[in-house]
Every structure is written in C-alpha cells, then in structure tokens.
Amino acid sequence: MTDKSLSEADAPKIKFFEKARRIYPKDITGTFRRLKWAVMAVLLAIYYFTPFIRFDRGPHVPSQAILIDMEGRRAYFFMFEIWSQEVYYFAGILILAALFLFFATSLFGRVWCGYACPQTVWTDLFVKVEHFIQGDHVARQRLDKGQWNFNKIWRKVVTHILWIVIGAATGGAWTLYFTDAPTLIDQIIHLSVPWQTQIWIYALTASTYIMAGFAREQVCAYMCPYARFQSGMFDRGTLIISYDKERGEPRGSHKKGDSWDNRGACVDCNACVQVCPVGIDIRNGLQYQCIACGLCIDACNDIMDKVGLPGNLIRYDTANNQEARAACHSKGEVFKEKNHLLRPRTIYYVCVMTLVCAIMLYSLLGRAPFTLNVLHERNPLFVTLSDGSVRNSYKIHILNRNLHDQTFALSVNGVDVKSIKILAATEVEPEKLGVLADSVGEFRVTVAAELPSKEVRRDIEFVIRSTSDGSEARTKTMFIGKAQ
Amino acid sequence: MSEQNKPEKDKFSGVETTGHEWDGIKELNNPAPRWWLLVFIICIIWSIGYWILFPAWPTIAANTKGILGWSTKQELSDNQRDLQAIRGKFAEQLAATPLQDIANDPQLFEYARQAGLASFKTNCAACHGSGAAGGNGYPNLNDDDWLWGGKLDDIYHSIKVGIRSTHKDTRFSQMPSFGKDGVLKPDEIKDVASYVEQLHKGSAAETNEATARGAKIFADNCVACHGATGGGDRNQGAPRLNDAIWLYGGDKKSIIASVTNAHAGVMPTWEGRLDDDTIKALAIYVHSLGGGEK
C-alpha cells in the first residue's frame, strides 16, 4: 500500500450506491408475447372471480367456495374445511407448490418468473398502461428527459392514476378471500368498509403501486430469494433462453443485398436488449436476472424475418443441445436435436409430488367427521373414593366437523368402570354430549373404577359414538391408580 | 492528475475498484442500489422520531420519558382497568345471585369457577394442595368424603367460619385423647384399632378375639360420635370410619396414634379476609371438583 493511494485529493471518485437504472422495455408482438397476455388474462380472471364462486355448506357456515375466515379460525376450500389446528395442510400445499416450482424450473428454467409470478403479471400490466398513455420506449425516455410541460404532466398524472386504480383493484380483490365477497363489494359501493379491511386495501394498493410501478425488475434481482437458488434446479437438460452463438457470431450490421458469407446471423440490432423487461443482453449468455419470458425470442424472430433468415437465433434451448450442435458443426455432421424432458431429476420431482399429493389426499379424505382429544388431568393424578375405588379426571374435546349439531355417547374401554360423570354447571349425561355444528365441545369428565391395588397405571380408551349414525371416534389414554 | 481521478478498473472482471488496497489486493466496487441507502436513511430518521416519542435514553437518574407519555407500566394499568371493567359485570352478577342459582347461568358459573380457582391457588393451596388433593391431616377436596358436608351451602359455611378458628360460629370436632388422658389402656387401644381397621376393610379383614374385644370398647366409647357402624356424624365433624378415606392414615399404627393422642386440625375463618363473593366463588370451585353433593 502506498501513501499516494490514500491521499484524499488523488482518490478516484467512486459511487458507493448506484441510482436505479430505469428500464424502458420496447413493446413487441409475437408468439411469446401473445402467450404472456393469454396467461395474464387467465391468471387475473382466476384472481378476480374466484372469491365469487359459491359453495353451499348449510346454514351455519359461510357459503363461499374459497374463504380464509380469520375470526372463525377456519379455511374453506370447496368441500374441504381446514381448522386452525390443521395448518399442516397449508404446509403441505406450500411443499407441493415449491416442488411444482422446482419441477417447472428443471424443465423450462425460470418460466414461473416470466409468466406466472404476480410481480411479472402486474409489472407487465403497468408497463402496458405506461405504453398506452406515454407511447413506446423511445417516447417514454424522451418524455422523462424532457421539460415539465402540459403534455408531460397530463401523461404522467393519468398513468399514475391508472396505476393506483389497478393497485386498488388488486388490493381490494385480495381482501375478498378473507371475507364474504358480495358483502364486501356492497360495503365498498356504500363506502362502509370496516376500518380493518380498509387498512389492508390501502396497504395492498400501496404495495402493488410501488412494486409494479417502481421496483419492477429490482424485485426479481434484489429482493426475490427464488432468483438466488433457482440455478440449483437447473441442469444441462433444462430449456433456458439461449442465443445461438454458433450461428450468430461474428455479429455485425448488415445491408440489404450484402453477402451473408463469413459472418454470423446476428445483425446486432439490439432488439433483444430493448424488449427485455429486466434490461439484460441475452447474447452474453445465461444471467441470473433472466426471467425466461421469451420476449427477446419474439424480437429476434421479427428481425430475422425482416432480413430473410430463419428464426430461432434466440430460443429455448438446452446446454446439452448447444454443445452437441457445436460438436456436429465442427465435424461437419448434421445435427439432430434431442430434448429429454424425462430426466432423473424431473422424474424425482414428479415422484415426490405424487407422494405428497397422495399423502395429503389420503389424509384429507380419510379425515373423520369428528374427532376426540383427551387430556388426563395431572393434579391430582387420581382420587381415592369412599368405597375404595379410584377416580381419574380428564378434559375431553370433541371436534365436530359436521355441518349439523350432533349428540355423542361417551364410554370408556379397558377398565371396570363404576361411574362416568360430566362435571358441569348443570347435569349432563355422558350418553348425551351435545356438540354444535362445526365447533368444538369441551367437557370435564371423571371416571371412577376399581383397580387391583398393585396396579399403578393402565392403558384405557375413550370412545364417542354418534347417536345419529353410530359412527365412532376413539382415543387412547391412561388410568392411574394408587401405588401401595 | 486527471488520470488519477478516473476510477481504476479491475482487469479481470472489468469492475472499478474503490482504491483501497491491502497486500496487493484491491477492493472492487459493486455498488448497492441507491434505494437501499434511502431505506437505511429512512430507518435512521424513523428511529430518531421513536427516541422523541417514546422512552428511550437512560440518564443518570431515570430515562427520557418521550413526548407521548407512553410507558409499559401505564399500559399495564390501562389493561388492568379494562379487565376490571370486563369483570365488573360478572362480579355484580355473582354478588346478586344466590349460591344455589349460580349454576343456572353457565357463563356466570364458569366465571365463578375460574375466580374460585384463582383464589384457591392463593389462599387454600398451601394446605389443600394446588390440585386440592390435600395430604396427611389436610382433607382431599376432590373425593366424596366430607367431614362437615359436601353440599354447596356446607362448603360455603366451612370456608366462612373455619374449623377451630377465631370466628364466633366456628366449628369444633372434639376427639378425646383416649391414651394420653388414660381413658383406655394401651391394650384396649390396640383392640379397638383392630376393630376399626376391620370396619373399613369389611369382610376382607380377619375377625378374631382382639376385634371382638375392640367392638365392645368401640360400642362403649366411640359410637356417640362415629356411629354404631362407624358411619361418622357430619353434625359434629366426626369422620366416617367405614370407608377407604383416611385423614391421618388407615393402617393400624396410624389408628392407634389417632386414638391415643387425637387430632385437632385447624382451618382459619375466611370471613373478613376474603369478601363474600370470593367465598361464594371458592365454594363453587370446590364443589365442582367432583365430590360436591346435591
């Protein structure tokens, strides 16, 4: 280290924080752009209309097909009803979603990011609004650099108003999943939305506006954790967006009528860079910012069409293919493309997904309409009664998932029962434990029984039998006696 | 000079360096986005606002109070005031409802039970145990054996006046010290203990000459309080002897000790120390443990 490099005056001027570079994606038409619009239409339709699907569940329970009832601590998904203590089903759904993401990534790269991710969908929508009001990329750049005048002001104001409207529609629709949708719409029309719901609508409106309007590709590059580990799901058989170097290089501009000999097909028009929503040059190879949306393919095919060359200079291709093509080319052989979608990796993912699905379905479909939880009281463990028998206390919970009120008869197996009593304000017979529809009944139960004096502990079983259809639920617990 | 002011670029990566060099290694400048810096600055500004609004900085004597006047202590007392407001409704109801009728309102009953439980843990658990299971000399309140009665009113009265307490209406059970005072000889006490042991063991116990002699002694000295068959007498607090529950142990040695020296347990009066509503709640709780009688 030298003194010179430390001196203040000589130190180079360095920026330690970089101003975000604004990206002005060019509008483009083509196969993948059309596919993106179609996917967006389908996803937005699902998002906005799902809360309005009705599903009749009887009188006590909300009849919204998909509803997360925070207050009632229930989640409804068509015929399935998830109670708060069964959140592991959500864990299962998340595991499935993650596996599907891995699977899709190992097949087609970052396609989730390019087509289905909400960040992409809403950014796309916002860019389209921008394009509609302010013109295409060059016009937008000129407008941003230009002086503030009436033209600039009204275009900016209208853009931001439209963004906020879309943001509000997004945030509003999200709350529909947590409350009765028609009621909320009615409340919105009459401006009588509860303040709790209002806060969520405002917060989600703001986040949509900021994320899709301003943060955009920075979310994908800096914030999204998925961008960081997705390369772990790639292998050499994954279809990634790739520029065909063999055919494209050396690149250079080309005049009509000139020969194509001794040069590559890439005319260095930069169309692929201009349309890219994350602002990268795909010709530099695979980069972590690439969201595999395929807009550069559309742009390049458009140009190739114009200069009269075959398309697909940029396309979804595998690393294996690129290598094999290069090898064949150097040997002068004809290259035959091979795409192995079935690879050990994808087969693993399919197997694991199937397994998780099977476990979830088995567990969901085999779920009893009611269950019994028993808790043995420990203080005191047991009580000796006048006649020498022993009494144990239990707290039992009956979870009635049925949509009708039910009565249960309680019995105890495995011990010579003298009496079963329900401790409550008013007398309750153990043969008639009433539990309301879709709720939990809690009872304090004492069981008195004779135990041989040397026996300290015995495994017993609580059984509840529905008095309407005779179906049963059982739970094992223990009966404690005195040590003598 | 102008060349010096131009950032140096790393040859390999093409990234400019910061000019910091150590042992020939130069630090590359990969700048973070500016909005990161902005968020960091906003957090700092936010924290300054926080210092002003809330208690934050320690000083020598105390700490800065914050202009909002918020403190955890104030929040606690606010919460407690709210809690009292919620309880107020039930507390009034509990005071107005006769003991026997509390069970008619399940909500009030549950309130009374929980209030009784809390009060029990504070005032009664020292002797009767936190689960009310008692111990040697301290009655188990879960079982179905009661010295002075197990109905709601009996329990309420027992808590109120206590046993051998300072209350003017307090209750006494007076077992004479048969051995210590020389009423019975040691052999006689052994015999009567054999008989009493046989009483609660029923047909399982052996009958012999000792128990026969004991039966006679029992008839002469004990039936007045404990009854002809050892059934006890709740009016005098005389324990039942023909059941499986023993306050001071049911084996022969313990019985001999009891007859020789007698026992005189004490329960304080709670009137005056606890208000009437709390005693009511305690009675409800004890009654609901499983041994309460109708």
Side-chain angles (χ1 to χ4, degrees):
Chain A
M1 205 197 295
T2 60
D3 285 338
K4 207 178 164 196
S5 71
L6 272 178
S7 84
E8 282 287 321
D10 294 343
K13 280 178 186 148
I14 298 166
K15 291 179 296 175
F16 291 105
F17 291 94
E18 195 165 45
K19 191 182 174 192
R21 183 168 58 98
R22 192 154 174 74
I23 292 163
Y24 298 88
K26 185 176 179 246
D27 204 35
I28 187 73
T29 47
T31 319
F32 293 103
R33 182 65 263 187
R34 277 194 296 276
L35 180 62
K36 247 167 99 79
W37 288 131
V39 171
M40 181 199 282
V42 171
L43 291 177
L44 289 180
I46 293 173
Y47 178 65
Y48 284 110
F49 294 112
T50 309
F52 296 96
I53 303 171
R54 302 280 99 185
F55 190 86
D56 188 27
R57 293 193 186 88
H60 304 307
V61 187
S63 48
Q64 185 160 317
I66 295 178
L67 176 70
I68 298 164
D69 179 2
M70 300 296 267
E71 213 170 316
R73 297 202 179 95
R74 302 268 194 284
Y76 303 94
F77 189 87
F78 290 93
M79 66 286 258
F80 298 119
E81 180 183 330
I82 314 265
W83 289 29
S84 55
Q85 63 268 47
E86 297 171 314
V87 280
Y88 45 76
Y89 285 116
F90 283 112
I93 289 167
L94 288 178
I95 291 169
L96 263 187
L99 284 171
F100 189 77
L101 193 63
F102 299 170
F103 174 65
T105 307
S106 75
L107 286 181
F108 308 117
R110 214 173 158 181
V111 281
W112 161 264
C113 301
Y115 293 86
C117 174
Q119 177 64 24
T120 289
V121 168
W122 267 278
T123 300
D124 238 14
L125 202 58
F126 275 44
V127 171
K128 191 68 193 172
V129 168
E130 215 174 47
H131 176 256
F132 184 67
I133 304 292
Q134 303 176 13
D136 205 357
H137 65 306
V138 182
R140 295 206 297 273
Q141 280 182 54
R142 204 184 302 129
L143 197 68
D144 275 359
K145 277 184 191 148
Q147 293 287 313
W148 281 97
N149 54 25
F150 177 71
N151 181 49
K152 182 169 176 174
I153 291 170
W154 85 258
R155 283 183 199 277
K156 285 285 172 189
V157 168
V158 171
T159 307
H160 284 268
I161 288 174
L162 284 176
W163 281 0
I164 290 171
V165 168
I166 296 172
T170 311
W174 185 249
T175 54
L176 294 176
Y177 287 86
F178 294 84
T179 177
D180 185 55
T183 312
L184 181 59
I185 293 294
D186 189 67
Q187 284 170 337
I188 290 172
I189 291 168
H190 293 96
L191 298 177
S192 61
V193 183
W195 65 267
Q196 296 93 332
T197 316
Q198 279 190 42
I199 285 175
W200 281 107
I201 294 177
Y202 298 147
L204 293 165
T205 303
S207 66
T208 312
Y209 176 63
I210 292 167
M211 290 299 148
F214 302 93
R216 293 196 181 170
E217 82 289 340
Q218 302 203 46
V219 174
C220 315
Y222 296 112
M223 300 182 199
C224 180
Y226 176 53
R228 305 277 154 182
F229 64 81
Q230 58 171 333
S231 55
M233 273 90 71
F234 281 27
D235 61 19
R236 304 194 67 80
T238 301
L239 283 168
I240 49 177
I241 306 245
S242 14
Y243 162 68
D244 189 346
K245 266 200 180 122
E246 279 295 309
R247 216 186 101 199
E249 300 294 327
R251 63 179 92 141
S253 60
H254 176 263
K255 271 188 191 145
K256 207 169 180 184
D258 282 1
S259 159
W260 287 99
D261 295 337
N262 297 322
R263 58 157 293 150
C266 175
V267 295
D268 207 10
C269 64
N270 270 330
C272 55
V273 180
Q274 284 163 7
V275 297
C276 181
V278 294
I280 56 167
D281 186 345
I282 194 64
R283 293 171 299 177
N284 295 339
L286 180 63
Q287 290 145 77
Y288 81 97
Q289 294 100 325
C290 176
I291 57 171
C293 65
L295 294 187
C296 49
I297 304 178
D298 283 343
C300 190
N301 283 350
D302 199 29
I303 299 295
M304 287 296 111
D305 218 29
K306 277 181 188 149
V307 299
L309 288 180
N312 284 339
L313 183 58
I314 303 173
R315 59 168 167 164
Y316 286 98
D317 204 357
T318 68
N320 280 338
N321 268 342
Q322 287 173 315
E323 255 171 45
R325 193 183 293 113
C328 288
H329 191 250
S330 61
K331 284 186 222 157
E333 291 168 8
V334 180
F335 171 68
K336 251 183 120 183
E337 199 167 297
K338 276 186 266 176
N339 280 328
H340 292 294
L341 290 184
L342 279 181
R343 306 193 301 276
R345 178 188 287 266
T346 56
I347 294 168
Y348 290 152
Y349 284 137
V350 171
C351 289
V352 178
M353 277 195 290
T354 316
L355 184 73
V356 175
C357 268
I359 292 171
M360 293 238 312
L361 269 179
Y362 175 79
S363 148
L364 263 173
L365 296 175
R367 198 164 56 148
F370 55 86
T371 46
L372 171 70
N373 294 338
V374 181
L375 199 68
H376 185 273
E377 276 194 22
R378 292 172 296 172
N379 187 9
L381 274 173
F382 66 91
V383 174
T384 308
L385 298 181
S386 311
D387 60 2
S389 59
V390 177
R391 196 184 67 199
N392 281 215
S393 301
Y394 303 86
K395 195 169 269 178
I396 68 168
H397 289 100
I398 300 176
L399 283 64
N400 182 12
R401 291 196 192 79
N402 286 303
L403 300 179
H404 51 85
D405 301 351
Q406 262 190 310
T407 315
F408 299 96
L410 175 73
S411 56
V412 175
N413 290 340
V415 73
D416 186 15
V417 175
K418 282 197 148 173
S419 78
I420 299 177
K421 269 190 200 160
I422 310 295
L423 302 180
T426 44
E427 205 161 316
V428 180
E429 291 173 49
E431 292 81 24
K432 286 178 191 166
L433 302 179
V435 183
L436 293 179
D438 200 46
S439 55
V440 181
E442 183 185 317
F443 303 95
R444 294 166 56 228
V445 182
T446 63
V447 176
E450 294 273 14
L451 264 195
S453 61
K454 274 186 186 158
E455 196 172 342
V456 175
R457 180 205 146 119
R458 186 182 284 191
D459 292 326
I460 60 166
E461 188 180 48
F462 273 62
V463 183
I464 51 166
R465 191 169 44 76
S466 163
T467 51
S468 52
D469 61 4
S471 53
E472 289 179 344
R474 293 155 181 273
T475 300
K476 286 201 163 64
T477 182
M478 59 194 158
F479 191 86
I480 308 283
K482 58 188 161 187
Q484 277 181 340
Chain B
M1 263 332 243
S2 65
E3 207 165 278
Q4 271 295 333
N5 281 333
K6 235 178 158 190
E8 183 189 356
K9 282 206 174 176
D10 174 54
K11 269 182 208 144
F12 181 71
S13 61
V15 178
E16 56 186 51
T17 68
T18 60
H20 302 158
E21 185 185 330
W22 195 267
D23 288 350
I25 297 169
K26 286 178 181 168
E27 186 186 5
L28 298 187
N29 180 28
N30 285 306
R34 197 178 59 177
W35 54 261
W36 269 29
L37 181 69
L38 292 177
V39 169
F40 181 58
I41 291 169
I42 290 168
C43 288
I44 293 172
I45 295 168
W46 177 274
S47 71
I48 293 170
Y50 210 93
W51 296 339
I52 297 167
L53 294 174
F54 293 97
W57 289 99
T59 58
I60 292 166
N63 59 301
T64 55
K65 297 281 178 255
I67 59 172
L68 286 186
W70 181 91
S71 71
T72 45
K73 202 177 166 190
Q74 183 60 39
E75 192 175 60
L76 175 68
S77 66
D78 287 353
N79 288 345
Q80 283 180 327
R81 194 191 56 223
D82 294 347
L83 190 67
Q84 288 300 336
I86 296 165
R87 279 182 184 167
K89 188 183 80 180
F90 284 111
E92 277 166 32
Q93 240 181 311
L94 184 66
T97 313
L99 197 52
Q100 296 295 340
D101 296 340
I102 289 173
N104 293 338
D105 179 349
Q107 245 192 318
L108 181 63
F109 175 81
E110 196 47 37
Y111 169 77
R113 219 180 83 77
Q114 294 300 336
L117 169 68
S119 188
F120 188 91
K121 300 251 187 211
T122 321
N123 300 295
C124 317
C127 294
H128 290 287
S130 66
N136 195 26
Y138 302 100
N140 185 345
L141 305 177
N142 291 278
D143 63 27
D144 57 346
D145 193 23
W146 297 90
L147 290 171
W148 297 94
K151 294 194 172 81
L152 259 181
D153 284 333
D154 298 333
I155 297 170
Y156 171 80
H157 192 67
S158 294
I159 300 169
K160 195 169 159 182
V161 303
I163 312 294
R164 281 179 269 276
S165 74
T166 52
H167 194 276
K168 64 177 166 50
D169 296 329
T170 193
R171 291 157 154 176
F172 290 92
S173 58
Q174 287 171 306
M175 164 102 172
S177 307
F178 288 96
K180 209 163 71 182
D181 296 348
V183 183
L184 294 174
K185 293 185 187 73
D187 284 348
E188 290 174 315
I189 292 174
K190 263 186 205 164
D191 291 344
V192 83
S194 304
Y195 176 70
V196 170
E197 204 185 9
Q198 187 209 19
L199 264 183
H200 81 262
K201 283 193 175 163
S203 53
E206 58 172 316
T207 311
N208 52 30
E209 281 178 35
T211 57
R213 287 197 302 274
K216 174 118 190 353
I217 299 161
F218 188 84
D220 291 343
N221 297 282
C222 314
V223 288
C225 294
H226 291 288
T229 54
D233 183 1
R234 287 181 178 181
N235 291 321
Q236 324 173 47
R240 198 177 149 189
L241 301 178
N242 59 1
D243 65 7
I245 297 170
W246 293 85
L247 195 50
Y248 295 94
D251 59 309
K252 199 167 168 186
K253 208 177 148 195
S254 302
I255 296 169
I256 290 171
S258 295
V259 178
T260 308
N261 299 311
H263 294 288
V266 173
M267 155 128 161
T269 166
W270 293 96
E271 193 178 49
R273 293 179 65 185
L274 297 176
D275 58 42
D276 190 55
D277 302 343
T278 311
I279 297 177
K280 265 166 133 178
L282 274 171
I284 292 281
Y285 170 70
V286 171
H287 189 265
S288 78
L289 284 171
E293 294 168 350
K294 290 280 163 191

mmCIF file of all heavy atoms in Angstrom, chain A residues 50-65:
data_model
loop_
_atom_site.group_PDB
_atom_site.id
_atom_site.type_symbol
_atom_site.label_atom_id
_atom_site.label_comp_id
_atom_site.label_asym_id
_atom_site.label_seq_id
_atom_site.Cartn_x
_atom_site.Cartn_y
_atom_site.Cartn_z
ATOM 1 N N THR A 50 -62.528 -15.852 -8.514
ATOM 2 C CA THR A 50 -62.603 -16.960 -7.569
ATOM 3 C C THR A 50 -63.406 -16.640 -6.299
ATOM 4 O O THR A 50 -64.212 -17.450 -5.862
ATOM 5 C CB THR A 50 -61.187 -17.431 -7.179
ATOM 6 O OG1 THR A 50 -60.463 -17.652 -8.372
ATOM 7 C CG2 THR A 50 -61.234 -18.691 -6.371
ATOM 8 N N PRO A 51 -63.234 -15.470 -5.695
ATOM 9 C CA PRO A 51 -63.963 -15.230 -4.441
ATOM 10 C C PRO A 51 -65.481 -15.226 -4.614
ATOM 11 O O PRO A 51 -66.209 -15.317 -3.624
ATOM 12 C CB PRO A 51 -63.482 -13.843 -4.007
ATOM 13 C CG PRO A 51 -62.223 -13.612 -4.733
ATOM 14 C CD PRO A 51 -62.335 -14.363 -6.012
ATOM 15 N N PHE A 52 -65.947 -15.098 -5.852
ATOM 16 C CA PHE A 52 -67.397 -15.023 -6.044
ATOM 17 C C PHE A 52 -68.037 -16.382 -6.291
ATOM 18 O O PHE A 52 -69.246 -16.487 -6.421
ATOM 19 C CB PHE A 52 -67.725 -14.059 -7.187
ATOM 20 C CG PHE A 52 -67.297 -12.654 -6.876
ATOM 21 C CD1 PHE A 52 -66.083 -12.156 -7.328
ATOM 22 C CD2 PHE A 52 -68.093 -11.841 -6.072
ATOM 23 C CE1 PHE A 52 -65.677 -10.880 -7.005
ATOM 24 C CE2 PHE A 52 -67.698 -10.551 -5.748
ATOM 25 C CZ PHE A 52 -66.482 -10.074 -6.216
ATOM 26 N N ILE A 53 -67.211 -17.434 -6.340
ATOM 27 C CA ILE A 53 -67.777 -18.776 -6.507
ATOM 28 C C ILE A 53 -68.441 -19.174 -5.197
ATOM 29 O O ILE A 53 -67.858 -19.035 -4.125
ATOM 30 C CB ILE A 53 -66.676 -19.797 -6.873
ATOM 31 C CG1 ILE A 53 -65.946 -19.351 -8.131
ATOM 32 C CG2 ILE A 53 -67.277 -21.179 -7.062
ATOM 33 C CD1 ILE A 53 -64.708 -20.179 -8.431
ATOM 34 N N ARG A 54 -69.679 -19.639 -5.308
ATOM 35 C CA ARG A 54 -70.429 -20.035 -4.104
ATOM 36 C C ARG A 54 -70.333 -21.542 -3.900
ATOM 37 O O ARG A 54 -70.151 -22.291 -4.856
ATOM 38 C CB ARG A 54 -71.898 -19.639 -4.234
ATOM 39 C CG ARG A 54 -72.154 -18.171 -4.460
ATOM 40 C CD ARG A 54 -72.087 -17.390 -3.176
ATOM 41 N NE ARG A 54 -70.796 -16.741 -3.034
ATOM 42 C CZ ARG A 54 -70.423 -16.067 -1.951
ATOM 43 N NH1 ARG A 54 -71.223 -15.981 -0.921
ATOM 44 N NH2 ARG A 54 -69.262 -15.496 -1.893
ATOM 45 N N PHE A 55 -70.466 -21.950 -2.661
ATOM 46 C CA PHE A 55 -70.459 -23.386 -2.367
ATOM 47 C C PHE A 55 -71.320 -23.586 -1.136
ATOM 48 O O PHE A 55 -71.002 -23.081 -0.056
ATOM 49 C CB PHE A 55 -69.008 -23.850 -2.101
ATOM 50 C CG PHE A 55 -68.876 -25.337 -2.036
ATOM 51 C CD1 PHE A 55 -68.686 -26.082 -3.181
ATOM 52 C CD2 PHE A 55 -68.953 -25.987 -0.818
ATOM 53 C CE1 PHE A 55 -68.558 -27.460 -3.114
ATOM 54 C CE2 PHE A 55 -68.839 -27.368 -0.745
ATOM 55 C CZ PHE A 55 -68.642 -28.099 -1.902
ATOM 56 N N ASP A 56 -72.412 -24.301 -1.306
ATOM 57 C CA ASP A 56 -73.385 -24.402 -0.221
ATOM 58 C C ASP A 56 -72.900 -25.363 0.858
ATOM 59 O O ASP A 56 -72.607 -26.520 0.597
ATOM 60 C CB ASP A 56 -74.731 -24.874 -0.780
ATOM 61 C CG ASP A 56 -75.795 -24.787 0.296
ATOM 62 O OD1 ASP A 56 -75.640 -23.930 1.205
ATOM 63 O OD2 ASP A 56 -76.753 -25.569 0.244
ATOM 64 N N ARG A 57 -72.782 -24.853 2.086
ATOM 65 C CA ARG A 57 -72.337 -25.689 3.198
ATOM 66 C C ARG A 57 -73.361 -25.713 4.317
ATOM 67 O O ARG A 57 -73.019 -25.970 5.464
ATOM 68 C CB ARG A 57 -71.025 -25.149 3.776
ATOM 69 C CG ARG A 57 -69.846 -25.263 2.856
ATOM 70 C CD ARG A 57 -68.554 -25.009 3.600
ATOM 71 N NE ARG A 57 -67.459 -24.977 2.652
ATOM 72 C CZ ARG A 57 -67.054 -23.904 2.009
ATOM 73 N NH1 ARG A 57 -67.633 -22.755 2.246
ATOM 74 N NH2 ARG A 57 -66.065 -23.960 1.155
ATOM 75 N N GLY A 58 -74.591 -25.386 4.026
ATOM 76 C CA GLY A 58 -75.585 -25.393 5.090
ATOM 77 C C GLY A 58 -75.661 -24.051 5.794
ATOM 78 O O GLY A 58 -74.939 -23.117 5.470
ATOM 79 N N PRO A 59 -76.537 -23.964 6.793
ATOM 80 C CA PRO A 59 -76.908 -22.664 7.360
ATOM 81 C C PRO A 59 -75.844 -21.968 8.221
ATOM 82 O O PRO A 59 -75.769 -20.757 8.219
ATOM 83 C CB PRO A 59 -78.136 -22.989 8.212
ATOM 84 C CG PRO A 59 -78.009 -24.432 8.520
ATOM 85 C CD PRO A 59 -77.292 -25.060 7.370
ATOM 86 N N HIS A 60 -75.011 -22.719 8.969
ATOM 87 C CA HIS A 60 -74.137 -22.045 9.942
ATOM 88 C C HIS A 60 -72.813 -21.584 9.358
ATOM 89 O O HIS A 60 -72.089 -20.836 9.976
ATOM 90 C CB HIS A 60 -73.832 -22.982 11.118
ATOM 91 C CG HIS A 60 -75.051 -23.498 11.793
ATOM 92 N ND1 HIS A 60 -76.027 -22.656 12.256
ATOM 93 C CD2 HIS A 60 -75.468 -24.759 12.054
ATOM 94 C CE1 HIS A 60 -76.991 -23.394 12.786
ATOM 95 N NE2 HIS A 60 -76.678 -24.664 12.662
ATOM 96 N N VAL A 61 -72.476 -22.117 8.197
ATOM 97 C CA VAL A 61 -71.112 -21.965 7.680
ATOM 98 C C VAL A 61 -71.157 -21.122 6.411
ATOM 99 O O VAL A 61 -72.100 -21.231 5.634
ATOM 100 C CB VAL A 61 -70.514 -23.364 7.386
ATOM 101 C CG1 VAL A 61 -69.057 -23.263 7.003
ATOM 102 C CG2 VAL A 61 -70.670 -24.257 8.602
ATOM 103 N N PRO A 62 -70.154 -20.256 6.203
ATOM 104 C CA PRO A 62 -70.169 -19.396 5.021
ATOM 105 C C PRO A 62 -70.202 -20.197 3.731
ATOM 106 O O PRO A 62 -69.587 -21.260 3.644
ATOM 107 C CB PRO A 62 -68.865 -18.600 5.131
ATOM 108 C CG PRO A 62 -68.094 -19.195 6.227
ATOM 109 C CD PRO A 62 -68.995 -19.995 7.068
ATOM 110 N N SER A 63 -70.928 -19.675 2.752
ATOM 111 C CA SER A 63 -71.073 -20.446 1.509
ATOM 112 C C SER A 63 -70.211 -19.851 0.414
ATOM 113 O O SER A 63 -70.631 -19.713 -0.719
ATOM 114 C CB SER A 63 -72.534 -20.501 1.083
ATOM 115 O OG SER A 63 -73.094 -19.221 1.140
ATOM 116 N N GLN A 64 -68.992 -19.477 0.770
ATOM 117 C CA GLN A 64 -68.035 -19.009 -0.232
ATOM 118 C C GLN A 64 -67.071 -20.154 -0.492
ATOM 119 O O GLN A 64 -66.533 -20.739 0.443
ATOM 120 C CB GLN A 64 -67.300 -17.775 0.296
ATOM 121 C CG GLN A 64 -66.369 -17.152 -0.710
ATOM 122 C CD GLN A 64 -66.040 -15.702 -0.348
ATOM 123 O OE1 GLN A 64 -66.912 -14.943 0.035
ATOM 124 N NE2 GLN A 64 -64.790 -15.326 -0.466
ATOM 125 N N ALA A 65 -66.844 -20.465 -1.784
ATOM 126 C CA ALA A 65 -66.065 -21.667 -2.109
ATOM 127 C C ALA A 65 -64.654 -21.605 -1.523
ATOM 128 O O ALA A 65 -64.177 -22.565 -0.953
ATOM 129 C CB ALA A 65 -66.000 -21.845 -3.615
#
